[in-house]
Amino acid sequence: MSERALKRVLLALGIVFMLVFCLTPFIYMIVVSVSEKPDFLSAAVDFSATLANYRDVLAVRSLHFLDYLRNSVAIGGLVALITGGIAALSAYAVSRIEFRGRVFVPLAVLAFSMFPQISVVGYLYKLMRAAGLINTYPALILPYIAWTAPLAFWILLSYMTRIPRDFDDAAFVDGADRLTIFRKIILPVALPGLISAMLLVFIAAFNEFLFALMLTSDHSARTVPVGIALFEGLHGEVPWGYIMAASGIAAFPLIVMSLYFQKFVIQDVTRGALKG
Amino acid sequence: MGLGNRLSDRRTAHLFILPLVVVMVVFIVVPVAGTFVTSFFRDITYLEPAFTFLANYKRLASDAGFWQSMRFTSLFVAVCIPVELLLGMVFALILNERLPARGVLRAAVLVPWAIPTIVAARTWELIYNYSYGLANWVLALLHAAPQPVNWLGSPLSAFGALVIADVWKTTPCFFRITLPILRPVIAVALIFRTIDTIRILDLIYVVTDGGPGGSTTSLSLYGYKFFNEGDFGYGSTIAVVVFVMAFLLSMAYLRAGGFKGAVE
C-alpha cells in the first residue's frame, strides 16, 4: 500500500472513531428519551417509540421541570445582563484609562476566577442563611455574577484593547465625557464581544451545579441541573425516560448556542488574551 | 490633556471598575477568607462554635477518608489530563486535514462540550447501568465479556468509568485550544484543565456519588459531604486544601499565559 493510501485509511478510521466516540452518548440520550421503556436494551424488552416522556416532563406539574426551567432562564438571563454591564464598564476603564491598579486588577480578577467553588460555597451558605436568602433567586444571582465576571471581563478586555484609542480622543475633542464615549462610541463597536460574553455567562450560570445544590432547597429557586440530578419519579423508581427527556430539552438550546458562538469566541480569546 | 482632566479621568476609571471589584470581594474574597477562618473552629450546626485553632488540620492528617479522596483526585488528574491532551491533539490533526463537511465534523466534536455537565453525567450513569445500560449491551454484542460488568460496583471499574466520562466531556476543551498548535497555549490549557479537574465534583456526584466505599470521592465531594451534614469547620478545612492546591496552580497559569504582558 502506498503511503498516501495508508494515510487515507488511517484518517477514515480516525474520523469514524471520533464521530462514534463524540456522538454515541448524545444519540443514546435522545433514543432513551423517546422510548416507552427505557430498559429496552435488556433482552426481554422491546423498543417502542413515544413522545410521552417529553409531554409528561412539560405537563405534569408535580415533576416541577417547568419551574426549574423558568428559574434557570430567569437567573441565567439576569446574571448575563448584570455581569455584561459590570464587565463592559471595567474593561473599558482598563483598556483605555491610565490609573493605579490598571495591571493589578485584571490579574487579580483572573487569579480569583480559578478559585474552586467548594472553597466558597460553605461560607456563602452561612452568609445567605444570615441574610434569609436561602432558596431565593438572589442567593444564586449574586454569587453567579462574581463567578462569571472574570470570564466576561477578559473577553471584553481583549475585544476593547483592539479598538483604537483615536475613537475616544476624537470624541474628547468634541467635549464628550467618558460615560458618553463608553455608551455611544465604544459599546456599539464592542457589541459582538459583549453579546458573546453574555452568552457564555448565561451558559455558565445555566449549567452551574454546586452553588445551586447548596443554596436552594425546592422548586421555588432550584435550577435545571440540580433538578435533573435529583429527579425522582412519581413512584420512586429512577425515571430514566423523564430524565433523558428533561436532559434533551436542557441540552438542545445549549448545543445550538455553543456551536453558533464557539468559533468566534474562542478565536477571539486566544488571539486577544493568550498571544498578547 | 490637562492635570485636572487626568485626575478626574482616574476617578472615572475607579468608578467604572468599582462594581467589578465589589462583587469579586464580597462574593469570592470574603467567602474564601471566611472559609479559612471557619477552618480554625469547631463549627457544627446546633452546636456553639468553638475556636480550636489547628485541631481540624490535625484531624486531616489522620483521616483515612481525606487521604483516600486526595489519592483519588491526584490519580484522576494524572490519568485524565494526558488522555484528554492526546485525544484532543488527534482530533485536531484530523480536523486540520482538508475534508469534505469539515464544519459538520467540528460541530460533532464539540457536542460533548456543549452539553451541560449534569446532563452528560446522568447519561453516563445510565450507560453504565448493570442490567440495561449501553456499555454492557455493546460488550455483549461484541462478545467482549463473558458476563455483564458491574461498572460502578468495584473501585477500579468505577474509576475507569469516571475517566471515560470525563475524557468524553472535556476533550473538546483541549481540542479547541490546541487547534493552532502552539506550545505556550498547550501549557496554559494543561494547567487550566488540571485546576478544573482538581476541583471536580458534579460529574462524580451524579455517576458514583463517591462510591463504591468512598473510592471515587474527590476532595470537593468529600468537603461537600461535611457541609451537607452541617459540619462547616471540618468541611472548610478540606476546602482550604483544595483552594491552596488550585491557587498554586493558578499562579503558574498566570505566568505561563503571559497575561501581564497582554494587559500592559
Side-chain angles (χ1 to χ4, degrees):
Chain A
M1 213 191 306
S2 76
E3 199 178 310
R4 220 173 129 231
L6 183 70
K7 196 188 158 195
R8 287 180 71 107
V9 170
L10 278 179
L11 189 60
L13 284 176
I15 292 172
V16 170
F17 168 76
M18 193 171 80
L19 285 180
V20 169
F21 179 76
C22 291
L23 294 182
T24 304
F26 177 65
I27 294 168
Y28 181 56
M29 176 182 100
I30 301 299
V31 173
V32 175
S33 75
V34 297
S35 69
E36 198 167 317
K37 300 193 182 76
D39 53 349
F40 61 87
L41 284 181
S42 68
V45 185
D46 285 331
F47 177 83
S48 53
T50 172
L51 285 177
N53 294 320
Y54 285 91
R55 191 194 60 214
D56 287 358
V57 155
L58 292 175
V60 178
R61 304 236 32 178
S62 60
L63 291 174
H64 293 301
F65 182 69
L66 275 185
D67 294 323
Y68 304 149
L69 209 55
R70 187 193 55 230
N71 297 340
S72 278
V73 170
I75 290 171
L78 281 167
V79 171
L81 279 176
I82 301 170
T83 305
I86 290 176
L89 269 176
S90 46
Y92 174 84
V94 171
S95 70
R96 38 223 339 120
I97 306 178
E98 291 297 332
F99 63 96
R100 270 177 64 190
R102 196 184 75 87
V103 175
F104 173 75
V105 167
L107 292 180
V109 165
L110 192 65
F112 270 102
S113 74
M114 268 164 283
F115 72 98
Q117 284 179 284
I118 191 73
S119 64
V120 297
V121 72
Y123 202 75
L124 273 179
Y125 179 85
K126 292 171 127 206
L127 283 179
M128 294 300 173
R129 191 179 53 191
L133 290 175
I134 294 292
N135 206 28
T136 65
Y137 282 10
L140 292 184
I141 289 174
L142 294 169
Y144 282 180
I145 293 170
W147 181 60
T148 54
L151 175 73
F153 168 74
W154 270 85
I155 289 175
L156 281 161
L157 183 60
S158 77
Y159 212 92
M160 288 189 183
T161 311
R162 277 181 282 133
I163 301 173
R165 288 199 200 184
D166 305 351
F167 282 45
D168 305 49
D169 295 342
F172 264 132
V173 174
D174 293 341
D177 61 277
R178 284 287 184 189
L179 196 61
T180 314
I181 297 172
F182 169 73
R183 270 182 30 231
K184 296 266 170 68
I185 298 172
I186 302 301
L187 210 51
V189 182
L191 197 62
L194 179 63
I195 291 174
S196 58
M198 282 170 53
L199 207 95
L200 281 187
V201 167
F202 179 85
I203 292 174
F206 192 91
N207 289 347
E208 199 284 330
F209 181 65
L210 182 56
F211 290 169
L213 179 68
M214 192 94 181
L215 302 175
T216 66
S217 52
D218 69 23
H219 59 268
S220 53
R222 184 175 282 170
T223 55
V224 168
V226 180
I228 288 179
L230 305 180
F231 226 126
E232 279 174 26
L234 300 171
H235 314 290
E237 82 295 358
V238 183
W240 283 114
Y242 289 173
I243 292 171
M244 291 297 119
S247 295
I249 295 169
F252 183 71
L254 289 194
I255 291 175
V256 172
M257 283 194 271
S258 309
L259 294 188
Y260 187 70
F261 278 88
Q262 70 84 20
K263 203 174 166 186
F264 166 69
V265 171
I266 297 314
Q267 277 176 353
D268 234 47
V269 174
T270 44
R271 197 187 302 135
L274 296 182
K275 285 186 201 162
Chain B
M1 220 184 295
L3 183 63
N5 252 339
R6 214 174 290 163
L7 273 181
S8 80
D9 221 25
R10 271 185 211 162
R11 202 173 310 139
T12 312
H14 287 143
L15 271 177
F16 276 22
I17 61 165
L18 188 66
L20 177 73
V21 173
V22 168
V23 288
M24 295 293 286
V25 167
V26 174
F27 294 104
I28 295 175
V29 179
V30 166
V32 167
T35 300
F36 271 83
V37 172
T38 311
S39 74
F40 298 123
F41 281 78
R42 188 198 65 196
D43 184 341
I44 303 173
T45 315
Y46 303 123
L47 291 180
E48 198 60 37
F51 181 71
T52 53
F53 197 38
L54 293 175
N56 287 326
Y57 290 89
K58 286 186 188 129
R59 180 175 163 193
L60 272 187
S62 58
D63 176 2
F66 167 72
W67 289 108
Q68 184 181 38
S69 61
M70 180 66 105
R71 223 174 17 249
F72 167 78
T73 308
S74 318
L75 260 178
F76 196 69
V77 169
V79 174
C80 285
I81 302 293
V83 175
E84 286 162 18
L85 178 63
L86 200 72
L87 206 58
M89 288 174 75
V90 169
F91 288 1
L93 280 178
I94 292 175
L95 289 166
N96 274 343
E97 292 289 322
R98 288 184 179 282
L99 298 168
R102 188 160 71 166
V104 178
L105 287 177
R106 278 186 69 118
V109 173
L110 288 168
V111 163
W113 165 71
I115 288 180
T117 305
I118 290 300
V119 167
R122 290 231 78 158
T123 308
W124 281 99
E125 184 192 1
L126 179 59
I127 288 174
Y128 294 129
N129 183 290
Y130 179 78
S131 23
Y132 49 85
L134 184 66
N136 279 336
W137 183 78
V138 170
L139 284 186
L141 195 73
L142 302 171
H143 300 287
Q147 66 226 16
V149 176
N150 189 359
W151 290 97
L152 305 178
S154 85
L156 188 66
S157 60
F159 182 85
L162 284 172
V163 168
I164 294 172
D166 191 67
V167 166
W168 180 78
K169 181 78 181 79
T170 48
T171 292
C173 289
F174 269 115
F175 153 75
R176 66 201 169 96
I177 297 174
T178 50
L179 197 57
I181 297 177
L182 289 169
R183 207 208 288 267
V185 178
I186 291 183
V188 171
L190 270 178
I191 303 172
F192 184 78
R193 283 290 313 139
T194 304
I195 299 171
D196 216 28
T197 312
I198 277 181
R199 61 193 176 187
I200 189 168
L201 179 133
D202 35 13
L203 178 76
I204 296 171
Y205 179 92
V206 167
V207 178
T208 65
D209 196 19
S215 65
T216 61
T217 306
S218 66
L219 284 168
S220 286
L221 183 57
Y222 194 59
Y224 167 76
K225 293 200 163 176
F226 284 96
F227 287 143
N228 199 33
E229 288 163 6
D231 188 343
F232 287 89
Y234 195 53
S236 297
T237 312
I238 295 154
V240 164
V241 173
V242 185
F243 179 84
V244 170
M245 290 167 71
F247 185 76
L248 293 177
L249 278 164
S250 62
M251 290 298 114
Y253 176 77
L254 291 194
R255 255 162 211 270
F259 292 102
K260 198 166 176 221
V263 188
E264 282 169 345

